[in-house]
Each structure stands twice: as C-alpha cells, then as structure tokens.
C-alpha cells in the first residue's frame, strides 16, 4: 500500500473518532500532549504518528489500537477510501484548473461526511447514465477547453515557429506530401500506404502508429484532407514532444488523461497548421460584411484550407471567441445512419456557459427542427451541404445563429454527419454580422428534446412532451399542497 494512502486513511479515521467524542483539536492536544499543529497534519494525511503516539491516541480516545491503524473504513467513509485507493485524484487533471491535490485532501478531511455523500452521488449518477472512464476524461477536457475559451496562445506560437523553421507555405492549401517529407526526413517515420488492408475489422480506423519502429500504417480509405490532418497531428506529437499519446486515429480508448489532453493538443496544432490564424481572420472579416448569407461562399471558405468541414468548424471555435469576442457559442457534431430516425450527438463544446442544446444521456429525441438534424436528411454524395438558421428557444427567449454543414460520414459507411456552430444573438453579434438582417435566413422555434419541448404545434414532433407534463403535474400537486396548508392554518 502506498504510504500516502495509509496516512490519509489514518487521518480520516482519527478525525471521525475525535469529532464523535466531541473533542476539538485543542482538547485532544491537551489530553495527549501532542501539539495541535501536529494533530492537524495527521488528520490531513500529511503525517503518520509513531507507534507510541498511536498507542497514546488509542488510550485517550478509548479505541482499540488495531482498529485505529486498520485500513478498513466504516460505511460512512468507505466510498472515500475507494476513491483514494483508486488513485483517481492523481488522474483528475487538477493542475489544469489551478487546484492542488493537497487542497482537495484538505476539503475531504474538513467535511468527510459531506464529501462522501457527494462522491457517492457522483458514483450513482455515473452508474445510472453508464458513464465510462473515457466519458469522464472527455468531460474534464471540455471543461479545460471552455475555461480557456478554447484558445491556446502557446500552441499558436508553436505553429508559427514550426512554419518558419520548416518553410511551410501557408498561402496555399497544405498538401499531405509536404508534411510527409518532414515526418520521414526529420522524424525518421516509415509510412506505409494501405498498411491496414489486411485487417478487416479496422474499417473505421484511419491509421495506426507503431512507436518502436516509428511506423505509420494508413488505411486505404482516407482522402487527401484526412491524410494531411493525420500527418499534421504526427508532426505535433514530435514537435511539441508529447510523450503520452494514442496510437490510433480515431481513438479506441484512453488509458490516462494525459493521452486525452495530448490528443487534443496535437489536434489543435494540426488545425492551426492547416488553417492559419491570420488567413481565417481575414476571411471571416470579409464574410461578416456581406449583406446576404451565402452558403456556396461559405463552402468555398472551407475548401480554401481543407475538404473537411469539421476541421474548419473546430478552428472557428478557436478564432471566434479570441478575435471577434463571440464567447457565447457552441459546437455540435451529429451522426446518424441512413434512413434511420435516430440521431447521436457525438461531440460538443460550449464556450462561456452551457448553451442549449447539450448531450442527453437518457435516450430522448433531439429536436427535429434543428438545422443540424434537418441537413442530415439532405446530404448528397461527395458534397458538403451547408445551411443557416436562427434558432429561438421559447422557454428562455434565447436566439442563436446556427451555421451547419453535413456530409457523408468519412469514418462510417452508410452514415451521415453534420457539424454546427451556434452563436448567441447579442448586440455584439448584430454589430459585426451584416447578414443577420438577411430575410432569407429562416427563424424557427426549437426545443432541446421532444420529451421536454413546450412547442405545441410541431409538425416534426417524434413523441409527446412527457417530461414536461410530469414537471407540470408535480408543480400542480405542490401548489395544491401549499393551498391546503394555507386553508388549514
């Protein structure tokens, strides 16, 4: 057992026993002649007392010595013990949010019963919603991105240094061959085209990296844009010296949070390399001055840098909050199988606050009035279908300009995917986007899910607003009970 875990458990038990005896630290210090500061460090898991002091504490607190040193916790503290023993505190990226592990231990030791109840609640929620280790890590990553408005100056500067050092011409669309040469010549890569051809169960995997031989095996189905992005990510892993990494794209599973974080950092680097900051800023400023929305022109803006709408939309989530100060925005990626009326929200990001909609883990039906879902049913083979809509949420009176592009899913046969970016309509947005006044942009009242939608006359509703009805029924019952109490008072 790790010494740290043993110290923490002893400290938690000592504090629990002391408080049950209604003793303060000062009082226990008086009874034992052990300094108050030393007892405090014991209870916080920073010190472990010698045998003679444990014997003294055992005698004063009237607790058997063996019980005091045992690692077994009672039911009130058992979940805390499991959390501490699982090393989850070391896996949570506390440092990214300016939190030290010692701070969290202090919180736990100061209110173990309350923290225990909180942790037990989280565990129960995770079990009920079938949240995986990967889901937890990805949620932590989203929080990290959102805390930084999804803009990371250090990576932007690293890309600029790389471009200068390797004389990359960013005035033209970057080609995979340019990056392949760097991987081979500078980082000693062995790249095998069609290297996954003999593995039939890897149809959805685009590449596999073998670290021992620096071999990169590519799928035969990847296109030029995907290959360029893969090469850019591999360059990022090497140029940024990211050691903890994933060896497949798309990922299969994450073992540690560092893998999750480094995968994101490498992807950010790749996006910034393929779509230069200055170029997209200039492009957007020009586009925002248009009096009318133009889907074809927007597609041309994507194609200038890449054939992947998702790469472009992800880059928008970096640039719009930083350069244009549009910080109330969301990014969504939906997927669905052809001819099936089920839609999966497979990726999301919310800057500043939780903008609607958010992923729903209870298998409810997402609103069919969203343009991101509507476009999935209009996808044309080998084409990008782009549209725009103003989405109005009647329950909170918020309006969003939502731009969405849909394509056949490049990773799954007979599937489509759409990517969308939503911008809260505010005085700032109105002042900078001239085409917001375009009468051709359709405004639709939307909900989040059919089960919770207040819109009564909806032509595409999949099911009744059962969750909303339950809420109304409970509110009516509560109101009746209040009236009864008032009548009989």
């Amino acid at each position: 057992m790790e010494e740290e875990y043993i110290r923490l458990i002893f400290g938690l038990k000592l504090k629990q026993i002391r408080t049950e005896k209604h003793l303060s630290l000062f009082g226990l210090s008086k009874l034992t002649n052990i300094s108050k500061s030393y007892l405090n460090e014991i209870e916080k898991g920073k010190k472990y007392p010698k045998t003679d002091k444990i014997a003294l504490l055992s005698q004063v607190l009237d607790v058997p010595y063996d019980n005091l040193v045992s690692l077994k916790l009672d039911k009130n503290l058992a979940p805390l013990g499991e959390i501490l023993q699982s090393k989850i505190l070391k896996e949570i990226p506390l440092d990214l949010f300016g939190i030290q592990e010692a701070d969290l231990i202090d919180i736990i030791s100061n209110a173990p019963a309350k923290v225990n109840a909180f942790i037990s609640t989280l565990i129960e929620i995770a079990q009920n919603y079938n949240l995986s280790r990967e889901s937890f890590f990805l949620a932590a990553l989203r929080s990290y991105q959102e805390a930084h408005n999804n803009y990371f100056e250090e990576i932007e500067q690293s890309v600029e240094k790389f471009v200068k050092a390797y004389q990359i011409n960013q005035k033209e669309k970057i080609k995979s061959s340019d990056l392949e040469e760097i991987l081979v010549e500078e980082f000693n890569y062995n790249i095998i085209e069609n290297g996954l051809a003999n593995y039939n169960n890897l149809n959805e995997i685009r590449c596999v990296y073998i670290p021992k031989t620096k071999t990169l095996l590519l799928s035969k189905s990847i296109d030029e844009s995907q290959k360029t992005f893969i090469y850019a990510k591999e360059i990022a892993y090497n140029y940024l010296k990211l050691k903890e990494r994933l060896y497949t794209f798309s990922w299969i599973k994450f073992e540690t949070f560092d893998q999750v974080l480094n995968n994101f950092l490498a992807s950010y680097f790749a996006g910034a390399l393929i779509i230069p900051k200055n170029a997209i800023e200039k492009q957007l400023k020009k586009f925002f001055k248009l009096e009318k929305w133009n889907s074809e022109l927007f597609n041309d803006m994507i194609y200038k840098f890449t054939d992947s709408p998702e790469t472009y939309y992800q880059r928008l989530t970096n640039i719009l909050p930083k350069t244009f100060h549009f910080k109330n925005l969301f990014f969504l990626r939906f997927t669905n199988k052809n001819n099936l009326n089920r839609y999966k929200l497979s990726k999301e990001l919310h800057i500043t606050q939780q903008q609607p909609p958010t992923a729903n883990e209870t298998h409810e039906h997402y609103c069919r009035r969203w343009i991101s879902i509507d476009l999935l049913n209009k996808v044309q083979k080998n084409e990008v279908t782009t549209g725009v809509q103003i989405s109005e949420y009647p329950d909170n009176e918020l309006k969003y300009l939502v731009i969405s592009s849909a394509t056949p899913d490049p990773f799954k046969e007979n599937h489509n995917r759409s990517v969308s970016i939503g911008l809260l309509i505010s005085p700032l947005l109105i002042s900078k986007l001239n085409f917001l006044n375009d009468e051709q942009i359709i405004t639709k009242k939307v909900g989040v899910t059919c089960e919770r939608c207040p819109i009564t006359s909806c032509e595409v509703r999949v099911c009744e607003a059962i969750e909303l009805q339950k809420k109304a029924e409970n509110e009516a019952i509560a109101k009746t009970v209040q009236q009864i109490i008032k009548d009989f008072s």
Side-chain angles (χ1 to χ4, degrees):
M1 300 295 292
E2 288 189 6
E3 291 183 9
E4 183 181 28
Y5 174 70
I6 295 172
R7 291 198 307 270
L8 289 170
I9 293 301
F10 186 90
L12 287 171
K13 292 184 76 169
L14 179 61
K15 182 164 188 174
Q16 184 185 37
I17 294 167
R18 175 179 63 77
T19 53
E20 286 175 352
K21 301 285 184 181
H22 304 292
L23 275 173
S24 65
L25 275 174
F26 181 87
L28 185 58
S29 175
K30 282 287 188 181
L31 290 172
T32 59
N33 283 326
I34 300 174
S35 71
K36 178 184 171 184
S37 61
Y38 186 64
L39 287 171
N40 188 42
E41 288 196 313
I42 292 173
E43 290 190 354
K44 290 185 175 182
K46 297 178 180 178
K47 301 285 186 182
Y48 192 87
K50 293 183 178 179
T51 304
D52 59 333
K53 286 187 170 56
I54 296 176
L56 181 59
L57 289 167
S58 168
Q59 180 183 346
V60 167
L61 295 171
D62 193 24
V63 176
Y65 183 98
D66 290 344
N67 287 4
L68 199 56
V69 299
S70 169
L71 294 176
K72 186 176 181 180
L73 294 168
D74 65 23
K75 65 178 183 178
N76 291 326
L77 292 178
L80 276 178
E82 292 177 12
I83 291 291
L84 295 172
Q85 192 173 15
S86 71
K87 302 180 184 178
I88 190 68
L89 294 184
K90 294 188 181 298
E91 293 184 4
I92 299 174
L94 300 172
D95 56 311
L96 294 182
F97 303 98
I99 302 171
Q100 300 299 316
E101 186 179 344
D103 298 333
L104 207 55
I105 296 300
D106 280 348
I107 294 171
I108 290 174
S109 63
N110 286 331
K114 292 180 180 178
V115 174
N116 177 67
F118 177 67
I119 290 174
S120 297
T121 302
L122 291 181
I123 292 172
E124 186 174 344
I125 290 172
Q127 290 172 341
N128 288 341
Y129 287 91
N130 197 27
L131 295 181
S132 64
R133 179 192 187 92
E134 288 86 357
S135 297
F136 177 81
F137 284 156
L138 290 171
L141 175 63
R142 282 198 301 273
S143 297
Y144 175 59
Q145 292 175 255
E146 291 159 9
H148 291 81
N149 291 325
N150 203 34
Y151 181 83
F152 297 87
E153 185 63 38
E154 289 184 5
I155 306 180
E156 300 282 349
Q157 291 176 358
S158 294
V159 170
E160 290 177 6
K161 291 177 182 176
F162 173 81
V163 167
K164 184 176 181 180
Y166 287 89
Q167 290 297 291
I168 304 294
N169 182 8
Q170 286 188 305
K171 292 181 179 179
E172 297 181 0
K173 195 172 186 178
I174 292 178
K175 295 179 290 188
S176 65
S177 56
D178 298 331
L179 303 184
E180 181 177 2
E181 185 179 11
I182 295 171
L183 284 173
V184 173
E185 296 295 330
E186 287 290 302
F187 300 114
N188 301 314
Y189 268 53
N190 176 32
I191 299 175
I192 301 178
E193 300 271 356
N194 202 14
L196 300 178
N198 295 327
Y199 305 95
N200 295 328
N201 63 333
L202 299 185
N203 292 333
E204 295 179 16
I205 300 297
R206 294 309 178 235
C207 68
V208 175
Y209 176 67
I210 315 298
K212 189 173 182 180
T213 58
K214 287 197 167 184
T215 299
L216 185 65
L217 305 174
L218 299 177
S219 167
K220 65 178 180 180
S221 60
I222 60 174
D223 59 25
E224 169 64 13
S225 288
Q226 292 164 0
K227 188 186 295 185
T228 303
F229 189 82
I230 289 169
Y231 288 168
K233 275 189 72 174
E234 290 301 322
I235 286 173
Y237 278 123
N238 289 272
Y239 188 74
L240 299 177
K241 294 180 171 59
L242 304 174
K243 301 300 181 184
E244 282 275 329
R245 59 160 294 173
L246 302 173
Y247 299 119
T248 65
F249 178 71
S250 301
W251 63 271
I252 301 172
K253 67 175 182 177
F254 297 115
E255 297 293 344
T256 67
F257 181 78
D258 281 343
Q259 290 178 345
V260 180
L261 179 60
N262 290 341
N263 180 66
F264 163 71
L265 296 177
S267 297
Y268 190 107
F269 183 101
L273 177 60
I274 294 168
I275 307 176
K277 180 174 180 286
N278 291 337
I280 191 174
E281 286 176 346
K282 184 178 179 180
Q283 186 190 70
L284 289 170
K285 287 175 182 177
K286 185 177 180 181
F287 186 71
F288 291 163
K289 290 180 180 178
L290 297 177
E291 297 293 334
K292 301 286 184 181
W293 165 263
N294 189 321
S295 293
E296 291 184 5
L297 180 57
F298 189 82
N299 285 349
D300 290 341
M301 289 164 57
I302 297 174
Y303 289 136
K304 175 177 172 58
F305 303 106
T306 176
D307 294 333
S308 168
E310 179 160 359
T311 301
Y312 188 83
Y313 276 72
Q314 289 279 12
R315 192 66 174 132
L316 288 178
T317 67
N318 308 141
I319 301 302
L320 292 177
K322 174 64 178 178
T323 304
F324 299 92
H325 309 292
F326 301 155
K327 296 181 179 179
N328 290 300
L329 65 80
F330 62 79
F331 167 87
L332 304 175
R333 181 179 71 202
F334 278 96
T335 59
N336 85 311
K337 190 172 182 178
N338 294 355
N339 303 318
L340 288 184
N341 196 24
R342 295 294 297 182
Y343 303 90
K344 180 181 179 182
L345 179 49
S346 54
K347 195 168 188 178
E348 64 176 320
L349 181 69
H350 303 265
I351 306 297
T352 302
Q353 62 187 27
Q354 284 290 315
Q355 319 287 343
T358 58
N360 188 287
E361 299 290 344
T362 56
H363 306 293
E364 294 180 17
H365 299 83
Y366 292 112
C367 179
R368 270 42 176 180
R369 290 186 170 196
W370 297 339
I371 189 169
S372 48
I373 286 182
D374 182 50
L375 288 184
L376 283 172
N377 301 312
K378 299 177 180 177
V379 171
Q380 301 294 318
K381 189 175 181 180
N382 300 324
E383 289 185 12
V384 176
T385 304
T386 295
V388 66
Q389 172 182 304
I390 293 176
S391 293
E392 180 179 348
Y393 291 84
D395 52 346
N396 56 22
E397 298 182 349
L398 295 178
K399 290 184 179 181
Y400 291 85
L401 175 75
V402 184
I403 304 170
S404 185
S405 295
T407 62
D409 193 319
F411 302 114
K412 287 186 178 181
E413 191 175 352
N414 297 320
H415 283 69
N416 296 327
R417 71 159 55 179
S418 69
V419 288
S420 306
I421 193 161
L423 304 168
L424 180 67
I425 295 181
S426 64
L428 175 64
L429 194 73
I430 293 170
S431 69
K432 292 195 175 184
L433 269 62
N434 288 349
F435 61 76
L436 264 180
N437 296 318
D438 185 356
E439 295 179 354
Q440 299 300 313
I441 298 177
I442 296 173
T443 298
K444 285 188 179 181
K445 292 185 183 296
V446 300
V448 177
T449 67
C450 290
E451 286 81 352
R452 302 172 192 273
C453 181
I455 301 171
T456 54
S457 56
C458 178
E459 71 287 356
V460 290
R461 178 182 285 280
V462 179
C463 68
E464 294 300 315
I466 53 177
E467 294 299 327
L468 205 63
Q469 293 167 6
K470 286 181 187 176
K471 182 180 178 181
E473 290 170 1
N474 289 337
E475 289 176 351
I477 290 171
K479 188 175 181 180
T480 301
V481 170
Q482 288 177 345
Q483 185 62 47
I484 291 172
I485 293 172
K486 184 178 179 180
D487 292 343
F488 284 85
S489 296

